Amino acid sequence: ACGDEGFAAIVKTLQSDDNTTVEHLCLPGGGLRLCDTSIETPASPSDTATPTPAHSPAHFPEDEAAANNPDSQDGPPPDGPPPAEGRWWGAPLKEGGRWWGETLRELLLPFNSIDDAGSLALSDALRGAHSLTCLILSNNCIDSVGSAALATALGSGAPALEELGLHHNYIGNSGGVALAKFAYRSPTLRILNLKGNLLGQRTGKAFAEVLKRNPTLTDLNLSHNSLSDAAACRFGPALSSNTTLLALHLGGCGMGEGGFHAIATGLLRNKTLTALDVEENQIGGHLALPAMCLALQEASHLRFLRAGDQSLCPMEVAGIAYAVKHHPRLTQLCLSQSNVGVEGARALAALLAGSTCIRSLQLDGSPLTPREMGLLGAGLAGNRSLEHLTAVPSCVLHGDDSGHFHHHHALAFAVRDSPR
């Protein structure tokens, strides 16, 4: 808990001529706010236009759509910086016209108390962060104003940034769209994590446009935001044309059958995606699952699928399992919180018995009856590739073992004899 005073001392050391080696600074839970309340004179950061790299168009498509349809803006626009509580930290952090150390490449400040005031101060310092490649500010108190300021500063002052983690803040739609514009124009950004940030439909549609044009982004996490099924539908065409994305996380984002069908259809044309997370959505239905099963058979590049959901019935679990069985390279399957049932357990047993690729099967949150446990045990007995299995007997969750210990023993013996 070094606090702002201790952090200032660290920064002063980084800025000194004696520092020629420090590349990584990590202060989780340091009690940082980045705004000195003991000094009364505020100095707000200057505004700098974000340059547009040659690879991307000057105008972000979402800007034009919002201009033509003001009602589409389902989040309040930022209305300027909040009242200053003290001096912005931009000046001392850039003392002598220097960034926080010419060698600093990674700055990790998660689990602090950085709010909009601290974000604006940090943004001012970031305008000279030419060496920075990784910035993690997760689990803070940053909302739309602070995130918009960060997006502007990173676009103009951090030309080498490759990873940005802002998960578990309060960014909202306005900040989310500002970050989408930054990602749309960034020539270097590879990993962006905005999980759990109160994002909505407008932000989801904006990032679908990002995936159509950005040539560098490989990992995008928008899980646990209320993007809506309408926004999820936009990711299907985006996946069809994208040639760089490796991992897409859309778990718990309000996706329905329509959005899942669109993503499955896009997956048929996509040639690069290796990890897809769509768990905790309402994806079950007669329209979506057949499309996903077909995509699983055709998308040979996919390695990881997380699709667990309470809306999945045993027959739909079985459909996914049979499709994965014939997939040539899928190594990890997660069907957490699904209604496995006897049909699903039988299909999963066939997957275990017949697959030589599957390395991990996760069924946590999916209570299994003794019979279903026995089926999994029989399948595991013939498997030689599985390394990780999560399976929860229903008696653990409901306190009813019904005396069927021999079914549990079948799985236990299979685990004991499993070579991996």
Side-chain angles (χ1 to χ4, degrees), residues 201-399:
Q201 181 179 125
R202 185 181 169 207
T203 302
K205 292 179 178 179
F207 273 102
E209 293 296 330
V210 171
L211 293 185
K212 290 180 181 178
R213 304 290 182 89
N214 181 285
T216 61
L217 199 63
T218 60
D219 192 320
L220 176 62
N221 193 334
L222 299 175
S223 294
H224 299 289
N225 290 291
S226 301
L227 303 184
S228 80
D229 191 53
C233 288
R234 299 285 189 94
F235 283 92
L239 284 176
S240 297
S241 58
N242 185 277
T243 58
T244 58
L245 193 68
L246 300 178
L248 177 61
H249 307 270
L250 295 174
C253 68
M255 184 191 309
E257 185 179 357
F260 189 51
H261 180 268
I263 288 175
T265 303
L267 195 59
L268 283 170
R269 298 186 179 93
N270 183 279
K271 303 301 181 185
T272 59
L273 196 72
T274 60
L276 176 63
D277 175 7
V278 290
E279 72 174 355
E280 297 183 35
N281 289 292
Q282 297 296 314
I283 61 176
H286 69 281
L287 177 65
L289 263 299
M292 177 52 72
C293 291
L294 178 61
L296 286 174
Q297 296 179 31
E298 298 293 332
S300 59
H301 45 83
L302 200 64
R303 303 287 190 278
F304 174 85
L305 175 63
R306 186 185 293 273
D309 182 69
Q310 293 179 352
S311 68
L312 292 181
C313 71
M315 291 303 296
E316 291 165 340
V317 171
I320 292 177
Y322 282 126
V324 172
K325 178 182 177 182
H326 299 288
H327 193 285
R329 296 181 182 177
L330 195 92
T331 60
Q332 299 182 61
L333 175 63
C334 178
L335 295 175
S336 302
Q337 318 235 357
S338 301
N339 183 15
V340 175
V342 174
E343 296 91 344
R346 186 176 289 115
L348 289 170
L351 164 64
L352 291 175
S355 174
T356 58
C357 297
I358 195 75
R359 299 283 186 271
S360 173
L361 176 61
Q362 300 177 47
L363 301 173
D364 45 305
S366 304
L368 301 172
T369 66
R371 184 181 178 188
E372 294 159 13
M373 294 287 285
L375 288 170
L376 285 178
L380 183 60
N383 181 275
R384 292 295 179 266
S385 64
L386 197 71
E387 299 173 354
H388 177 194
L389 173 65
T390 307
V392 184
S394 59
C395 63
V396 173
L397 299 181
H398 304 300

